Amino acid sequence: MGRRIRWAGVTILVCFALLIVQLVNVQFRRAPALADSPYNPRVAAQRFDNVRGSITASDGTILAESVKTTQGPYHYTRAYPVGNVPGGNIYAGVTGYDSIFFGTSGIEYEYNSYLEAHPQQARNLSQLIFDQPASAPDNVVLTIDPVLQQAAWNALTTLPPGQNRDGAVVVLNPTTGAILAMVSNPTFDTNAFASPNITAEQGADYADSIRDHEGYQPDNPIAIGSVFAPGSTFKVVTSTAVYNLDPSLENFSFKVAPFVKFPNGLPIYNDGGTPCGGTMITMLPASCDPGYAALGAALGIKTLTQQAQLFGLNVCGPSDTNVPGIDLPHVQPSCISDVPPGPVNDALVGQTAIGQYDDAMTPLQNALVASAIADGGVIMTPHLMAEITDPQGNVITTFEPTPMLRASSQTAAAAVDDLMEGVATHGTAAGVGFPSSWQISVKTGTAQFPGGKEEETQDWMIGFMPSRGTPQLAFAVVVPQQEQDLTGALVAGPIVKAVVSAYVAEKGLP
């Protein structure tokens, strides 16, 4: 009996000890995290009982703001007043949302510490000593140009009947990295996530996680969250590898033929089985698949991979961790096919060199490839924040343009620029009708859809303008899962033309 009492006493003492340990853990070690947790009712009350800073476009258009509300338990709710379209908001993939239940996403997430009410800096000696300024939020000014954002949305979502309209458009300034437009379709309704009704927010989240009839989720912006076979746009990378890493192949010439056959693989045919060939000067404008496949095999997978990594791509596989340093969460990495070196794999190297096999790129990454050629081989860090201001309009911080990568030498970039200009003037994009005054350089891409239907393609166009002087725009457009008889020039080309037209008109250019 006494032994049982002793064991019971020991058990009680152990329980008390564990209780004390947990109390210390909660009160001291975990206290800061619990105090700041979004699930802490006091934190939620502080967030939504105070004004949150605004998010504005480059021209001052308010994209997100706090408004007073009498619905729900809090004093303020988030509102997204512009860009609303049936079923969504054209800025959703940029601003994200501020939700009572789901927290924040997009720019709302990246700059949450500024947008929330927080102690302001003292601006004079009196404030510093006697009268510390009250807590208040800051405001975030973005680089987004509403004119280009609207033009990209309109062009993407009004493609002719029979063409799928899910896709993305990314436009940036190659010399600064400033994102001028970033559109994804499908999109989602940011205001639905600002509802004081949690059940309504949960319903919106569920609806946005369901793939649409073209297979894409509204809550995963295609511009940064989906990867596609880049197709012939990857020939920009292959061409750069020659000029930048292996100049001995600058005069590589492929004998005119409709296909190329490697010892251990199926033949690689040109589009439509038409014969093509020559040097890069003729092959890139014509987008000669067999010629570029042979060129890729001559370069070898080691050189191709090295050049792709200089542009910021990973090798497909477990190392897919490097992503562009843009100020948005959940950016998908891009990659080049993982092909073991050796002649036995020349067929796979050839497919990789023309943007097939396992090559996979986001629209953002492909826009950065174009921007590197535009800016003499340098990729500037892409960014959406232009500046942050306090409640009085004083600038707290600005984004300083910063080089992110050196993709190639200036000489190599200039040589590829010449090839891409030929695509617009007399190559696969000549039928788009770009005015010569734009001096535009582009590359089209019509990639087979890996794992998809045999008759479907991913249709691309990347490029920049002007090709002479200081570049002003670089861009990438992808409209995936198109019928096989459509091409990057036919589908993505008119979107590029519409966006550049809007820019030219806005800036008063010729």
Side-chain angles (χ1 to χ4, degrees), residues 238-239 241-243 246-257 259-262 276-285 288-300 346 349-350 353-354 419:
T238 304
S239 300
V242 172
Y243 293 114
D246 193 350
S248 67
L249 291 172
E250 285 184 18
N251 295 317
F252 175 90
S253 182
F254 179 74
K255 185 179 179 180
V256 175
F259 67 89
V260 63
K261 180 71 168 68
F262 297 101
C276 65
T279 65
M280 287 189 291
I281 293 173
T282 56
M283 288 199 301
L284 190 82
C288 180
D289 285 342
Y292 260 86
L295 176 59
L299 278 166
D346 279 353
V349 178
I354 62 173
L419 299 181

Side-chain angles (χ1 to χ4, degrees), residues 113-124:
S113 61
Y114 289 97
L115 292 167
E116 282 188 330
H118 59 276
Q120 293 289 309
Q121 293 181 352
R123 297 209 166 267
N124 53 54

Side-chain angles (χ1 to χ4, degrees), residues 20-67:
I20 292 171
V21 169
Q22 180 63 3
L23 286 173
V24 171
N25 179 46
V26 171
Q27 290 290 330
F28 295 97
R29 192 176 72 85
R30 296 188 60 202
L34 292 171
D36 295 335
S37 171
Y39 299 104
N40 184 332
R42 287 187 300 176
V43 172
Q46 182 181 12
R47 281 179 60 205
F48 295 102
D49 282 342
N50 290 281
V51 174
R52 184 174 174 84
S54 64
I55 301 173
T56 60
S58 60
D59 66 349
T61 300
I62 296 177
L63 306 181
E65 62 182 344
S66 285
V67 295

